[in-house]
Amino acid sequence: MSGDLSPVDDPVAGPFFAGILEGRFTAQRCNSCEALRWPPLSGCPDCHSRSTTWVEVAPTGTIWSFVVYHRAFQASLKEEIPYTVAMVELDDGPYVVGRLVPGDKPPAVGDRVVAELGEFGGVPSVRWRTA
Amino acid sequence: MASSRNPIAGQAAIVGIGHTVQGELPGRSVEENAVDAALLALADAGLSVDDLDGLIGCKSVQGQGNDVTVGQLLGRNLPYVQSLDYGTCNFSLHLAVMAIVSGLASTILLTYGANARTAKFDFGKPMYGADMASAAGLVHISGRAGLALQRHKALYGTTDEQFGMLAVGQRQWAQKNPNAIFRTPMTMADYLAEPYMVEPLRRSDVTMISDGGVAVVVTTAERARNLPQQPVYVSGIAEHAGVRGEHNPENLMRPWLKDSAKAIWSTTGLTPADMDAVYIQDPTAVWSLQMLEYYGFCGLGEGGPFLAEGHTLPGGDLPLNTHGGQLSESYTWGWMHMVEAVRQLRGQAGERQLADPKVALYASSHGFLKAAASVLSTEESVAA
């Protein structure tokens, strides 16, 4: 995947992608109120501080929900269907969405997952594997 | 009657409705479709373009069809013109009511035009720019709506058969509507036999894409009394934004819808039981499931069994989207819902006409960001 679906040029989210390439799964933490946030934002929506540190978060969580795509809505996804996307509630709090790698049995809401870091389809990101 | 609790009650009314054929209108721009509908709405109201002092243009998904581009074709320099974003029909109605109550304008045309079907708009492209979700393949409305439904199923045990009552029911209503695009009968067995598109959603759970224009004329209650159509009064309006977006916990469930619901009932003093019909803007059937629950027509999590009981079907006690909605009638992002509510309240809905409806709820949302609700009525003053 690339082109229209690639977010790596986003200046706000850039440090996340750089972190992935260094093997670190990171999220923003507000330097003022210490709230962890995902997706990245240029300022804290709680206290409005713009001072942020990218901190490592535990790469573990539970499946909040998931969907299985049987239709490719972009040409670049055609070879990948059927594919599964999961919304994961991290143990550290934020919700992070990503591709779910199929395990031995069908996924279920509440399944424990672990993040695998890497470049997937040309985009540095996480994908989820059932623990 | 105006009160401090509900200062807009009965002060403005919908007096004209108009729409083009809904379907494929090749070679016609968003603005042309909007203006074709506008002329029909004015004729329906017994008014001409020179009677207008306001125009509100609701943008198409492509960002076209705003106040200045539609206004250019209408060709009048009006005191009050405004634009609202895509998917904001209910908000456009609210803006018109507010302009009337404040005295900025007295007779306002609201327009929407779509040509996304023949213009082949790419609904798989991320609407708010590329992000990690789109890179993971979470594209198209059915992805996020599907996540919300899967969560609902896991929490409450909602089944495909219960949820499918929405698509099947909308088709039953559409069969009675000559304007509807999808009128082929669809049984529950047909629905369940349909493959998943984005599991747990099937094709029939998601809006069609069609071209068309829709327009509505709103004026003062005073002027409405002297126009040819039965006025449909705006008895209450409410909104609530969820603009923290993905920084809301569980934003895919759109929890802020319940704040709009609470506001419409407390403002009007009415309850769900007072509604003779309900109109829910439904780009996916998941929106109807969520809003039936949040607006209190059934309990939170009880939408599945409630739908299975048939309340929302023809003959049921809570007629839902009696035109077939976006699943079976046409695309136009809630605009035809408003037209249908007016038709029903006027008694002009033909084969699908309800028995003497007096009051209806129109509930809508702007994606994962905003909620709005209106109560529409044949009465200037709706008693609770």
Side-chain angles (χ1 to χ4, degrees):
Chain A
M1 284 158 290
S2 57
D4 283 351
L5 302 183
S6 172
V8 291
D9 295 335
D10 181 337
V12 176
F16 171 79
F17 300 108
I20 292 288
L21 295 175
E22 295 163 7
R24 294 183 300 118
F25 183 13
T26 58
Q28 289 173 305
R29 188 176 64 200
C30 176
N31 287 336
S32 175
C33 73
E34 301 196 333
L36 262 188
R37 65 179 186 264
W38 184 269
L41 265 186
S42 60
C44 176
D46 294 316
C47 74
H48 309 123
S49 167
R50 299 226 174 85
S51 175
T52 295
T53 304
W54 285 85
V55 296
E56 271 194 77
V57 292
T60 51
T62 54
I63 295 179
W64 183 86
S65 191
F66 66 96
V67 285
V68 186
Y69 278 75
H70 295 277
R71 182 181 294 190
F73 290 99
Q74 289 289 325
S76 58
L77 296 165
K78 205 165 277 179
E79 300 298 313
E80 315 216 9
I81 52 170
Y83 65 88
T84 303
V85 177
M87 179 67 78
V88 170
E89 187 175 2
L90 294 185
D91 293 338
D92 286 337
Y95 297 78
V96 175
V97 74
R99 193 69 67 84
L100 180 71
V101 181
D104 297 336
K105 56 183 178 61
V109 169
D111 280 357
R112 296 287 299 161
V113 288
V114 179
E116 187 178 273
L117 313 186
E119 264 190 277
F120 306 113
V123 177
S125 62
V126 296
R127 62 183 188 190
W128 301 105
R129 279 185 190 277
T130 41
Chain B
M1 278 293 153
S3 72
S4 57
R5 187 179 63 181
N6 188 6
I8 66 96
Q11 294 207 52
I14 299 171
V15 293
I17 52 175
H19 61 87
T20 66
V21 167
Q22 306 291 310
E24 295 194 345
L25 303 171
R28 284 159 68 171
S29 70
V30 161
E31 286 81 8
E32 287 165 358
N33 289 333
V35 170
D36 285 353
L39 298 176
L40 293 167
L42 285 164
D44 180 64
L47 297 170
S48 86
V49 69
D50 294 315
D51 294 311
L52 295 173
D53 57 9
L55 168 68
I56 297 170
C58 179
K59 292 178 191 173
S60 72
V61 66
Q62 298 104 311
Q64 301 156 356
N66 59 28
D67 54 354
V68 297
T69 60
V70 172
Q72 194 167 38
L73 280 181
L74 280 174
R76 300 297 184 275
N77 297 320
L78 303 176
Y80 179 76
V81 301
Q82 289 295 340
S83 285
L84 283 179
D85 208 347
Y86 171 60
T88 54
C89 174
N90 218 336
F91 299 89
S92 298
L93 178 64
H94 294 184
L95 199 56
V97 170
M98 289 186 273
I100 287 168
V101 170
S102 70
L104 274 172
S106 61
T107 302
I108 305 178
L109 175 69
L110 283 59
T111 66
Y112 176 77
N115 69 353
R117 182 170 188 85
T118 54
K120 300 193 188 315
F121 180 77
D122 180 3
F123 285 90
K125 192 174 168 167
M127 276 190 76
Y128 305 109
D131 57 12
M132 210 172 84
S134 57
L138 185 70
V139 291
H140 194 267
I141 187 70
S142 51
R144 285 181 165 83
L147 286 169
L149 177 60
Q150 188 85 273
R151 179 79 183 171
H152 196 279
K153 291 173 79 168
L155 286 180
Y156 307 118
T158 314
T159 66
D160 282 19
E161 197 156 358
Q162 291 169 342
F163 179 69
M165 290 293 280
L166 284 162
V168 168
Q170 290 303 284
R171 187 62 56 86
Q172 289 179 11
W173 282 113
Q175 283 179 262
K176 301 170 183 291
N177 176 6
N179 296 312
I181 294 170
F182 292 162
R183 300 183 72 191
T184 315
M186 179 170 65
T187 64
M188 181 57 70
D190 295 334
Y191 170 82
L192 293 171
E194 215 177 271
Y196 287 121
M197 182 169 74
V198 177
E199 187 180 348
L201 292 175
R202 295 171 166 84
R203 176 66 197 83
S204 294
D205 299 318
V206 180
T207 183
M208 71 181 77
I209 305 302
S210 55
D211 303 336
V214 191
V216 164
V217 181
V218 182
T219 191
T220 61
E222 189 181 4
R223 186 168 200 185
R225 284 192 281 272
N226 301 313
L227 293 175
Q229 301 287 357
Q230 153 78 52
V232 171
Y233 297 96
V234 183
S235 303
I237 59 176
E239 301 181 3
H240 203 98
V243 290
R244 270 182 74 102
E246 291 178 79
H247 296 92
N248 289 307
E250 304 197 280
N251 193 55
L252 292 169
M253 305 304 255
R254 309 192 305 160
W256 30 266
L257 281 161
K258 66 179 179 299
D259 299 305
S260 171
K262 190 177 167 192
I264 195 70
W265 301 135
S266 66
T267 298
T268 58
L270 299 169
T271 70
D274 295 318
M275 297 300 112
D276 296 323
V278 59
Y279 294 88
I280 298 178
Q281 181 186 342
D282 55 344
T284 83
V286 180
W287 274 217
S288 299
L289 176 69
Q290 289 181 336
M291 289 196 237
L292 286 170
E293 293 183 0
Y294 285 131
Y295 281 88
F297 294 101
C298 60
L300 196 60
E302 293 169 5
F306 180 78
L307 288 165
E309 287 164 9
H311 301 278
T312 58
L313 305 179
D317 59 357
L318 185 69
L320 168 71
N321 297 348
T322 54
H323 54 322
Q326 285 183 241
L327 304 186
S328 277
E329 196 231 31
S330 66
Y331 164 67
T332 59
W333 262 90
W335 283 82
M336 289 298 282
H337 293 65
M338 190 155 66
V339 164
E340 174 71 4
V342 171
R343 282 204 167 109
Q344 286 285 353
L345 292 167
R346 286 178 178 177
Q348 297 173 343
E351 192 194 335
R352 62 191 185 282
Q353 179 63 50
L354 303 172
D356 199 25
K358 300 262 188 257
V359 59
L361 177 73
Y362 170 39
S364 68
S365 52
H366 184 203
F368 293 90
L369 295 169
K370 300 183 210 171
S374 302
V375 171
L376 305 175
S377 173
T378 53
E379 313 293 325
E380 271 191 78
S381 175
V382 185

